[in-house]
Amino acid sequence: MAGAIAGAALQLQQPALWSEAVYAALVTAALACGLAWRVRWRLRPVGRRGLAALLLIGLAFGAGLTGWRAAVFAAQALDPALEGRDLQVNGVVAQMPQRDEGGTRFRFDVESARSLEPAGGAVQLPPRLALGWYAEGTGLWTRATPAADAAPLRRPEPLHAGERWQLTVRLKAPHGNLNPKGFDQELQLWEQGVQATGYVRAGAQDAAPARLGDTWRHPVERAREAVRDAAFARIADRRTAGVIAALVTGDQSAIDRVDWDIYRATGVAHLVSISGLHITMFAWLAALAVGWLWRRSTRLMLRWPAQQAALVGGVALAGLYALFSGWGVPSQRTVLMLATVALLRIAGRRWPWPCVWLLACAVVVIADPWALMQAGFWLSFVAVAALFATDAGVDGEQAKGWRARLYRLAREQAVVTLALAPLTLLLFQQVSVVGLLANALAIPWVTLVLTPLAMLGAVAPPLWDLAAWAVRALSWWLEWLAAMPLATVSLPAPPLWAAAGGVLGGVLLAMRLPWSARLLGVPLLLPVLLWQVPRPPAGEFDLLAADVGQGNAVLVRTATHSLLYDAGPRYSLDSDAGQRVLVPLLRALGERLDTVVLSHRDSDHTGGAPAVLAMQPQAALLSSIEAAHPLQALRPARRCLAGQRWRWDGVDFELLHPVEADYARVAAKPNSVSCVLRIGNGRASVLLAGDIERAQEEALAARAAEGALQADLLLVPHHGSKTSSSPALLDAVRPRLALVQAGYRNRFGHPAPPVREAYAARGTTVIDSPHCGAARWSSRQPQAVGCERASQPRYWHHRVP
């Protein structure tokens, strides 16, 4: 069991896959050796050699099976030649669509496809696509016709799971932002079986999307969609309806972003999504009901013991509930764990808890090896191990009365909170201080009141009105706790060794030992609590260009100060680079910003600013945004002007643009007043140029003294647009490195080929976000850039041609 888990974990570290034949040979060899091992050791005690051989066999089996599955799946990837081409696809909507003001997102199972180019024909696509059908005016759509054509887009039509459609689409390989300690969207899509993403072409010159009829496929998804839509139709308050829909159908996207922030701050996020707790609770209640009904029948009792029937019935009904709730990865894990434990009990196996725990882990990993890369896997299994190790369930097992049960529940929650705090800091860099108090009321309220009402409301809709009242009561309690000072504690992400030691320290403190022994866990917790991310020495500075897609966001750090230049784009009406990328990144690095510079008003530079400013209340704002801009209400901005300068820890910061006269032209084009910042220490320098264009570049070069603009690294103006990177600027800056922050296959074509050629002609190395991910640069090594995609490559990561 341990060998299979370790083998899968080792295979997940591979930067590239081997061939299917190699993995198949590894699995075959492991099975043959396992059979030989059983014949040899069946009638004799297993010694060290036998255990070592068994471990190696499990290692080979786990690695081979995981690799073979990955290689088979990777063979179905989208042909790069089909990216960006107009394709007509026929297929079936595979999951209930996600609708919002920006449009509709859905999964689409492909039945047939053909190219719409003159010489095109049938093409082979991955079996499942992730598509968006976006509305005009949201900033999420892409025109099917040139920008000068004012023909409107077709509004998204109602889609339902199980329907067959013919669509014109444009596709690309799954490509997500890759940042230190950040969310790996490419891994998520891999786990979901998606190997291409894209959007529906809905312009006036495109063939209209056509509904071809209903199918019998995906009936569960159709039922989930009907229940979710009924909840929203019944309950007027969309925030309340979203929580109820999430509890019944597992649609976590229905929960409002504000509510998610409250749930995370109070440590109850696991209660409002279909998690292991919900599935386990449902299995327990189902087992009680099945056992009670079974005992009512003498004939059934004679055929099969009620206890075993209850186990099987509870797991089976929990599996159906998990299926209806979307069959998410946490639900799959829980059902497999429950089934494993139930089979052991039915078989009469009384294994020690470490063996049961290890077997459940092995079953989950064999079924889904990539679960090892998910935070939920480690949180759930570490929590169970901590409860077993501390015997948290012993008190009250035989004791009677509500006091004993209350003490048992309180101790279990305290053990889990203490043991998971270091792991939570490693995974999320944040832990809720009020979590124990919040869960003390939220767990019984959600488990015994809210969830039953929400589920029964699918049969008797008036019960949803009571469920809505229960949601509002819970929200009042949680909002009050979240507003408390120091409701959450954020610490820099500790290294893996420190987090592992912290978990052991937390478990040791919770174990039933003398306090003299328990206190030995305190030193194990200290590395987690005291860890600080290394900073540059005095006189040096470093730079981290975050991977935010089509937009700018650059973190600059000196020995004791930090500056953020731009805050990335807004992705949708409820998602932006601040919330998705920058806030987690700053939290993981333990950053306390001194200044936020927003070069100009465009949304690809200011989209994430509200989230960043809310997280960093002490940061000063320096920008060229106008006085009436909405961000001024969040944080009054000081206008940036050429000549402003300051010095941090021996590093000089100077604004070179705009001058006062440029602000008279801001109404014509905000790019013209982009704040241009030069940073240097006398040995290395960086120029952050915003979105200035040729006219501003030439004026900047004309104003500057000889060599005043020279820089080792240049943040390429306007993401590499043809309107920027003029010869005058490039000859004045003479950069060794040019950094382009742009989205993969962005609709603007950044960086433009002529711009790349201009840099190449001057011997400048161009690094772009799609190839590099987040980029690191240091004044101590000004000739080198470290790329996140190169530092820890994995085979599921997209490699841009």
Side-chain angles (χ1 to χ4, degrees):
M1 295 182 291
I5 297 172
L10 284 175
Q11 195 280 328
L12 295 179
Q13 307 306 307
Q14 282 190 263
L17 290 170
W18 302 331
S19 67
E20 294 179 35
V22 172
Y23 292 117
L26 199 59
V27 173
T28 303
L31 292 175
C33 291
L35 181 61
W37 180 91
R38 179 163 180 79
V39 171
R40 177 179 177 85
W41 298 97
R42 182 175 59 177
L43 300 176
R44 63 182 69 182
V46 179
R48 293 182 179 178
R49 289 186 179 181
L51 288 176
L54 190 60
L55 182 63
L56 290 174
I57 291 169
L59 201 70
F61 179 77
L65 184 61
T66 302
W68 178 78
R69 291 174 59 186
V72 170
F73 181 68
Q76 303 171 346
L78 178 69
D79 184 350
L82 297 177
E83 290 189 284
R85 291 167 55 180
D86 286 346
L87 306 172
Q88 187 178 80
V89 296
N90 287 10
V92 177
V93 179
Q95 292 181 353
M96 62 175 181
Q98 307 295 326
R99 305 181 186 92
D100 56 30
E101 294 85 348
T104 303
R105 300 182 304 277
F106 57 99
R107 297 291 190 264
F108 194 70
D109 285 348
V110 177
E111 296 177 330
S112 64
R114 67 183 184 91
S115 173
L116 293 179
E117 296 181 354
V123 296
Q124 188 69 34
L125 296 181
R128 176 162 290 189
L129 312 176
L131 298 177
W133 188 347
Y134 299 122
E136 187 170 3
T138 63
L140 303 175
W141 56 276
T142 302
R143 275 195 178 276
T145 55
D149 189 340
L153 297 176
R154 297 184 181 92
R155 298 289 300 180
E157 297 182 27
L159 295 167
H160 301 286
E163 290 181 342
R164 179 174 284 112
W165 280 77
Q166 182 179 86
L167 305 169
T168 300
V169 301
R170 276 193 183 176
L171 302 177
K172 63 181 180 180
H175 187 95
N177 302 328
L178 208 58
N179 293 282
K181 307 294 183 183
F183 175 67
D184 192 341
Q185 185 184 15
E186 293 170 29
L187 174 61
Q188 182 190 55
L189 292 172
W190 176 284
E191 272 213 295
Q192 293 175 351
V194 173
Q195 289 183 294
T197 64
Y199 62 92
V200 176
R201 301 280 286 178
Q205 297 180 0
D206 297 303
R211 182 180 179 275
L212 304 180
D214 278 321
T215 71
W216 56 267
R217 296 166 61 181
H218 309 296
V220 175
E221 288 297 316
R222 193 65 178 263
R224 293 178 65 217
E225 182 183 357
V227 171
R228 181 197 62 183
D229 293 348
F232 277 99
R234 175 84 189 186
I235 303 168
D237 182 17
R238 293 193 64 82
R239 286 180 58 181
T240 303
V243 175
I244 292 173
L247 286 172
V248 179
T249 68
D251 183 11
Q252 297 187 25
S253 65
I255 299 178
D256 191 86
R257 173 175 158 183
V258 174
D259 290 323
W260 273 124
D261 291 340
I262 294 172
Y263 298 151
R264 293 189 184 102
T266 53
V268 301
H270 62 102
L271 291 176
V272 291
S273 58
I274 302 299
S275 63
L277 177 66
H278 288 87
I279 304 298
T280 303
M281 180 271 293
F282 188 90
W284 177 69
L285 292 175
L288 288 179
V290 170
W292 183 84
L293 291 172
W294 201 269
R295 291 183 179 91
R296 307 278 77 77
S297 171
T298 304
R299 180 178 300 178
L300 292 176
M301 286 287 293
L302 292 174
R303 288 182 176 272
W304 206 12
Q307 186 178 15
Q308 295 186 4
L311 280 173
V312 173
V315 173
L317 291 173
L320 292 175
Y321 174 49
L323 187 65
F324 183 78
S325 66
W327 198 238
V329 174
S331 299
Q332 296 174 35
R333 270 199 313 266
T334 306
V335 171
L336 287 172
M337 291 169 58
L338 292 172
T340 301
V341 174
L343 287 174
L344 286 176
R345 296 189 67 175
I346 290 173
R349 306 289 184 180
R350 300 295 180 182
W351 290 5
W353 77 260
C355 295
V356 177
W357 180 84
L358 197 60
L359 177 61
C361 285
V363 169
V364 170
V365 169
I366 290 173
D368 179 17
W370 298 276
L372 287 167
M373 307 298 294
Q374 302 295 332
F377 173 88
W378 295 102
L379 291 171
S380 59
F381 275 101
V382 169
V384 172
L387 290 174
F388 274 126
T390 59
D391 292 326
V394 171
D395 284 333
E397 285 287 352
Q398 304 299 328
K400 304 296 182 180
W402 64 270
R403 291 184 180 179
R405 293 188 177 91
L406 185 62
Y407 171 76
R408 175 190 171 189
L409 290 173
R411 187 171 187 277
E412 286 179 353
Q413 184 62 36
V415 167
V416 170
T417 300
L418 190 58
L420 293 187
L423 189 59
T424 303
L425 288 173
L426 174 67
L427 297 171
F428 306 113
Q429 297 81 56
Q430 188 179 47
V431 65
S432 174
V433 176
V434 298
L436 189 60
L437 183 59
N439 279 283
L441 288 182
I443 288 178
W445 186 256
V446 173
T447 302
L448 302 177
V449 179
L450 178 53
T451 300
L453 287 173
M455 294 174 63
L456 291 172
V459 180
L463 292 178
W464 275 337
D465 298 331
L466 294 177
W469 173 84
V471 170
R472 287 190 286 270
L474 177 67
S475 297
W476 176 85
W477 165 246
L478 296 178
E479 287 172 8
W480 180 74
L481 289 177
M484 294 177 64
L486 298 177
T488 61
V489 171
S490 298
L491 295 174
L496 182 59
W497 62 265
V503 172
L504 292 176
V507 172
L508 190 60
L509 281 171
M511 292 184 72
R512 297 172 179 276
L513 296 171
W515 274 107
S516 57
R518 292 191 193 188
L519 291 177
L520 295 176
V522 174
L524 295 175
L525 287 170
L526 291 180
V528 174
L529 301 176
L530 302 179
W531 174 258
Q532 294 294 320
V533 177
R535 300 188 68 89
E540 304 291 348
F541 66 103
D542 62 26
L543 175 149
L544 174 61
D547 186 4
V548 294
Q550 186 67 26
N552 282 152
V554 179
L555 175 66
V556 182
R557 306 190 310 156
T558 66
T560 61
H561 295 276
S562 299
L563 175 146
L564 181 67
Y565 182 87
D566 283 335
R570 184 182 184 184
Y571 301 125
S572 67
L573 297 176
D574 59 354
S575 177
D576 56 66
Q579 171 241 343
R580 279 176 48 180
V581 178
L582 297 177
V583 167
L585 177 63
L586 295 172
R587 186 181 295 130
L589 296 176
E591 288 296 336
R592 189 176 186 275
L593 297 177
D594 296 276
T595 301
V596 174
V597 177
L598 300 179
S599 61
H600 62 297
R601 65 168 298 163
D602 285 356
S603 63
D604 57 334
H605 298 254
T606 62
V612 172
L613 293 174
M615 177 206 182
Q616 303 280 343
Q618 78 291 333
L621 180 59
L622 185 62
S623 181
S624 65
I625 60 174
E626 66 275 18
H629 195 281
L631 284 174
Q632 296 277 11
L634 297 178
R635 189 78 45 86
R638 184 163 58 99
R639 175 179 283 189
C640 57
L641 285 169
Q644 293 174 340
R645 62 183 67 199
W646 63 94
R647 186 177 179 87
W648 286 342
D649 306 315
V651 179
D652 295 312
F653 294 75
E654 182 181 5
L655 284 167
L656 306 179
H657 184 81
V659 297
E660 186 66 47
D662 292 321
Y663 280 99
R665 296 184 288 272
V666 67
K669 202 163 191 180
N671 289 354
S672 63
V673 291
S674 290
C675 304
V676 177
L677 180 64
R678 187 178 186 273
I679 309 166
N681 60 2
R683 297 176 298 279
S685 59
V686 167
L687 187 67
L688 306 178
D691 275 2
I692 58 172
E693 299 184 344
R694 287 180 180 271
Q696 294 80 46
E697 292 174 353
E698 292 168 358
L700 182 60
R703 288 197 306 267
E706 180 68 26
L709 289 181
Q710 193 280 326
D712 296 281
L713 183 143
L714 171 66
L715 180 64
V716 173
H718 206 179
H719 318 286
S721 166
K722 288 186 291 186
T723 63
S724 302
S725 296
S726 63
L729 181 71
L730 300 190
D731 292 339
V733 178
R734 302 190 301 279
R736 297 182 187 182
L737 303 166
L739 183 61
V740 179
Q741 289 188 294
Y744 175 63
R745 297 191 64 87
N746 63 87
R747 62 192 178 104
F748 307 102
H750 297 157
V755 172
R756 281 190 178 273
E757 293 168 4
Y759 283 100
R762 291 166 172 79
T764 301
T765 302
V766 177
I767 300 101
D768 61 55
S769 303
H771 288 87
C772 183
R776 298 184 184 88
W777 178 91
S778 172
S779 62
R780 288 169 285 178
Q781 293 182 304
Q783 73 286 353
V785 169
C787 291
E788 186 69 18
R789 287 190 176 273
S791 64
Q792 290 186 324
R794 296 293 184 267
Y795 56 80
W796 56 80
H797 287 158
H798 178 227
R799 286 165 174 79
V800 181

